[in-house]
Structures are given as C-alpha cells and as structure tokens.
Amino acid sequence: MNQHAEIRKKHISPTVWYLLVALAAGGSAWCGLFYILVQLEHGVFWSGAVFAWVHLAILGALLTGAFGVMFQLIPIAFQAPPLAKKVALWHLPLHLISISVMIDGFLRMHFYLVGVGGSLLFIVTLYYLFQVYQSYKRANNKTIVHRRLWVPMLGLALVMGIGIWQAFALPGTGLSLLFFHIMIGVFWFWGGLVLVISYKFIPMFVLSHGYYANLKLTSGLYFSGILLIALSSYWPFPHAPLMSLLGTVFTLGGVIIFLQDIRRIISARKRKRIVFPLKISIISTIILELSIAIILFSVLIHSLHLAMIAAYLFYFAGIVPLLMGYSQKIIPFLYYEYRYSHAPDRKNAPLIDEMVPNLPARFAIMIYAISVVFGLLLFNFYHMIPLFMLPTLSILLSALGAAAFLLLLVSLIYVLQIGGKRPTEE
C-alpha cells in the first residue's frame, strides 16, 4: 500500500475533475428549472425539454459527482489499491459525450438517438464499475458499508438497462415500466446510495467512535420496501394495494432507523465542532430522507402536486446541497494530499477545513438556499403572480441559483491554487 500511496500523490485525484464538472452541470440544470416547472404545473410531462432537463440534472450533475466520489471512496475508505488515473482520462469524456447524445436526442424527441447515447453510457459505466470492482475486491477494510455498496450499484445497472429498453420502444414499454424505472433510479440507486455511504462518510468526517448503528437492518428494510413499491405497478389487484402498502411500511421503517442511527453517530463524535460543509451535508441528508417519505405518502394518496414538491425537495434541497457539502470536504483533502503530503514546505500547510474560503463559500450556500425557497414558492403560487412578472422572477431566480454554483466553483478552484506550484520532492 505504501507504493500505491506514493504513486497516488504524483497527481491530484481525478475525483476533483468529476466534482467540478458535476457542479457546473448542476448550475446549468438550475438555469432551465423554472421553464420546466411551468410545463409540469400545466401537466406537460411528455416533452423533450422535460426529458432533457431531467437527464442533465440527474446524469450530468449527480451521476458525474457520484462517479468522482466513487473513484476515491473505495481506495481511501476501504484501504484498497487506487484506480489508475488513465481510467478517468477515458471515462469522464466518454461519460459526458454519452449524456450529450442522450440530451440531444430528447430535445429532438428522437428516441433512437437517446437509445444510442444511453447504450454508450451503459457500456462505459459497466466498464468503469468493473475497474472500481478490481479495487473493491482487494479492500483490506471490508466493513458492512463495503458489503452493502454493491446493492445501489445493482440498481444503477438495472435502471440504465430499462431506460435503453424504453428508448428503443421494445416490448413491455409503457407506464408500468416507466414507474419501475423511476422508482429504481430515484429511490433504489440515489436514495440507497446516500443511505449506505452516509454510514461511512458522516462518522469519518465528524470523528465518531463507539456508536451503535445497524446498516444491515436499515438497508434490508429500505431496499425491500423500494422493490415492493416498484413492482406494485404490475400488481394485478388495484383495489387491494398490498405490495405498495407493505413497501411503504418497510421503506419508512428503514428511513426512521437510518435517522436514528445518524443521530447516534453525531452524538458520539469526538470533535465537538461540526464544520459548516458537514452541517450542510447532514441537513441535506435528513431533508432527502424526509422527502422520500413525503413522495411515498403522495403516491398512496395519488397527489401528483405533492409528489412534485417532494421531488423538488429531494433534488434541490437534498441531493444537490449534499454534493456541495461533501465537495467542500473532499476537494481540500485531496489537494492537501497532492500538494503538501511529504512536501518540504508541509509545515506551512493550512488546515484542511480552512482551505475553502469561508465567506464566498457560505455566501454561495446562502444564496442557493434562498433561490431554492423562493423557487418552491414560485412553483406553488405562480397563479397568484401577475403574468407579466413571471418571466422576470424566473430569470432572477435562475441567475441567483446559477451564481451560487459559480461562486462555489470559484471557491473550490481557489483551493487548487493554494501554495502555488507543487515543489519537487526530496
């Protein structure tokens, strides 16, 4: 492992590239948000613009960030050999090209092109995950998180395969398969991934020890519940929705136990002060889990409007600020390892938690939170706003949210300039 560590420090981790691209894609998705929300509120769901925006937001921003975190999570968290830099050199460009082809296909409503882009993305993803698995299987620290991480990855492969199947309009394509696609993608993969990695990231970042947490029970209930709900669209007895009810109970049980475990983990921390980026990550994790519960409730009562509000919270108040928060922890750590580890001037190195400039980063989070809150209000009460004011308000909120992403990006790029050029090791 010492040899691997020396090799790793020759170059900054590609995780930094992935996270910066993910934040840029998130800012781009924000700019088109209000145009999409108006379409959805008017019941326009089958739209190329809606499909393109959803896949830019999920694949361009979130999946890119998840792959970046994965690049570094396996080696560091589980004491495994690092992935070679060349993996990112081919994967990240092909990943972005695949998504671009899909988005172009959606905008044209040319689903064969979507299927071609999706197929390329699927192949590239499988090969990338195979490279990750080569490191994963050689881990020395095979914790319960290590043993459960494959479960959401299975959902990723499944949801991609289903998406390609639908794009090519193969037999069985329809609303039931679309519902299954959404449930597995949003809840199994994204909700499940956040649930699993939180048991590693939160204790690691807040320095918790000696706590009790039961990921085995939590993940068992959660994933079983999501699978039952996903399959409920094929349940032949619509007036006796046993599968969806059982699935909801299991999923909510998993969410409740998860939140209790997170409370115990935070209470057992050795460092009393929780740094600002980690506060953002913890709060957004809790919001994300609560939004899952709201979405499940909205499905039971057949409230589409409530489901859209909860989906808005899931993405913009949950998983996006989670990415923002962890980026402010991961990028400084990786830059410190690259720039100062074993460097002659390491005694002059700043503290990792002080690398991200405090004022612009906090201001970015603040204006992002403001834009999310006012965006939600606009979404719910735009009927009460004079028609001539709607375009101006939408533009202002789009600019405000995009400015938050840009300011955070500038802050993180600043981190990569600290200390100047890396000195030659002696």
Side-chain angles (χ1 to χ4, degrees):
M1 288 298 292
N2 290 335
Q3 181 182 3
H4 289 306
E6 290 301 318
I7 294 173
R8 185 173 64 245
K9 293 170 188 172
K10 296 296 182 182
H11 304 282
I12 194 167
S13 171
T15 290
V16 174
W17 312 341
Y18 282 90
L19 291 178
L20 293 179
V21 170
L23 289 173
S28 300
W30 178 269
C31 291
L33 169 65
F34 299 101
Y35 172 72
I36 298 302
L37 286 182
V38 171
Q39 287 200 35
L40 294 176
E41 184 64 22
H42 283 90
V44 181
F45 299 100
W46 196 262
S47 158
V50 170
F51 296 148
W53 181 88
V54 168
H55 287 82
L56 172 64
I58 293 176
L59 301 180
L62 300 187
L63 190 60
T64 305
F67 281 155
V69 172
M70 202 179 301
F71 196 99
Q72 202 67 36
L73 172 66
I74 302 298
I76 291 180
F78 304 124
Q79 300 174 17
L83 275 70
K85 183 184 177 183
K86 63 182 181 182
V87 173
L89 290 176
W90 62 258
H91 173 258
L92 183 56
L94 289 176
H95 171 78
L96 296 175
I97 290 170
S98 306
I99 295 169
S100 299
V101 172
M102 290 181 65
I103 291 173
D104 183 50
F106 280 125
L107 290 174
R108 299 184 187 195
M109 291 295 278
H110 192 331
F111 288 100
Y112 183 82
L113 187 59
V114 173
V116 171
S119 298
L120 177 59
L121 180 64
F122 189 48
I123 293 169
V124 169
T125 297
L126 288 181
Y127 191 69
Y128 178 76
L129 292 178
F130 175 75
Q131 299 299 319
V132 173
Y133 174 72
Q134 298 304 305
S135 173
Y136 178 84
K137 69 180 182 180
R138 296 166 61 189
N140 293 322
N141 184 26
K142 296 183 178 180
T143 62
I144 181 64
V145 177
H146 178 276
R147 296 193 296 272
R148 287 292 182 272
L149 193 58
W150 68 269
V151 181
M153 293 301 108
L154 178 64
L156 175 61
L158 182 59
V159 76
M160 282 187 170
I162 294 173
I164 295 167
W165 187 278
Q166 293 176 107
F168 288 126
L170 296 175
T173 299
L175 291 179
S176 294
L177 189 62
L178 178 62
F179 178 78
F180 189 88
H181 176 74
I182 294 171
M183 291 300 300
I184 296 298
V186 174
F187 299 112
W188 184 289
F189 177 61
W190 289 113
L193 182 64
V194 171
L195 183 144
V196 172
I197 66 171
S198 293
Y199 280 88
K200 185 66 180 180
F201 274 14
I202 293 179
M204 182 171 66
F205 287 136
V206 302
L207 302 178
S208 296
H209 302 284
Y211 57 85
Y212 171 79
N214 196 340
L215 174 57
K216 186 176 181 180
L217 176 60
T218 303
S219 60
L221 286 171
Y222 180 85
F223 288 112
S224 298
I226 294 301
L227 183 60
L228 285 171
I229 297 172
L231 291 172
S232 66
S233 59
Y234 295 98
W235 180 251
F237 308 107
H239 299 293
L242 180 62
M243 288 185 70
S244 58
L245 288 174
L246 283 177
T248 300
V249 171
F250 286 176
T251 304
L252 291 179
V255 168
I256 291 170
I257 296 173
F258 169 76
L259 294 175
Q260 291 176 335
D261 285 346
I262 295 303
R263 179 185 59 80
R264 283 192 287 262
I265 290 170
I266 295 173
S267 299
R269 67 185 185 275
K270 301 305 177 184
R271 183 171 59 182
K272 295 301 180 184
R273 175 175 169 264
I274 299 179
V275 294
F276 179 72
L278 191 56
K279 288 180 181 178
I280 297 302
S281 299
I282 293 172
I283 292 171
S284 57
T285 299
I286 294 171
I287 292 175
L288 184 146
E289 296 299 328
L290 292 177
S291 66
I292 290 175
I294 297 172
I295 291 174
L296 295 181
F297 176 72
S298 67
V299 171
L300 286 178
I301 65 172
H302 304 290
S303 174
L304 181 59
H305 184 72
L306 181 60
M308 288 195 293
I309 292 174
Y312 178 95
L313 293 174
F314 178 92
Y315 185 85
F316 290 106
I319 207 160
V320 169
L322 184 69
L323 177 64
M324 289 177 161
Y326 280 143
S327 295
Q328 293 177 69
K329 291 291 292 181
I330 294 171
I331 289 179
F333 171 77
L334 295 177
Y335 182 73
Y336 182 94
E337 285 293 297
Y338 162 73
R339 172 60 181 79
Y340 289 105
S341 181
H342 302 293
D345 61 343
R346 60 185 173 275
K347 291 184 179 179
N348 299 323
L351 296 175
I352 292 176
D353 286 333
E354 296 177 0
M355 282 188 169
V356 179
N358 187 48
L359 184 60
R362 291 198 178 204
F363 185 62
I365 297 298
M366 181 185 71
I367 61 176
Y368 176 77
I370 291 172
S371 63
V372 169
V373 171
F374 279 93
L376 185 61
L377 291 175
L378 180 63
F379 176 49
N380 281 279
F381 301 108
Y382 80 94
H383 293 97
M384 302 170 60
I385 301 172
L387 191 60
F388 72 91
M389 292 181 60
L390 282 176
T392 302
L393 288 174
S394 298
I395 292 171
L396 286 175
L397 287 175
S398 296
L400 192 64
F405 282 97
L406 180 61
L407 191 56
L408 184 58
L409 272 172
V410 170
S411 300
L412 293 174
I413 291 172
Y414 167 82
V415 172
L416 306 180
Q417 311 301 315
I418 294 175
K421 186 178 179 180
R422 187 171 185 255
T424 304
E425 293 181 13
E426 297 180 359

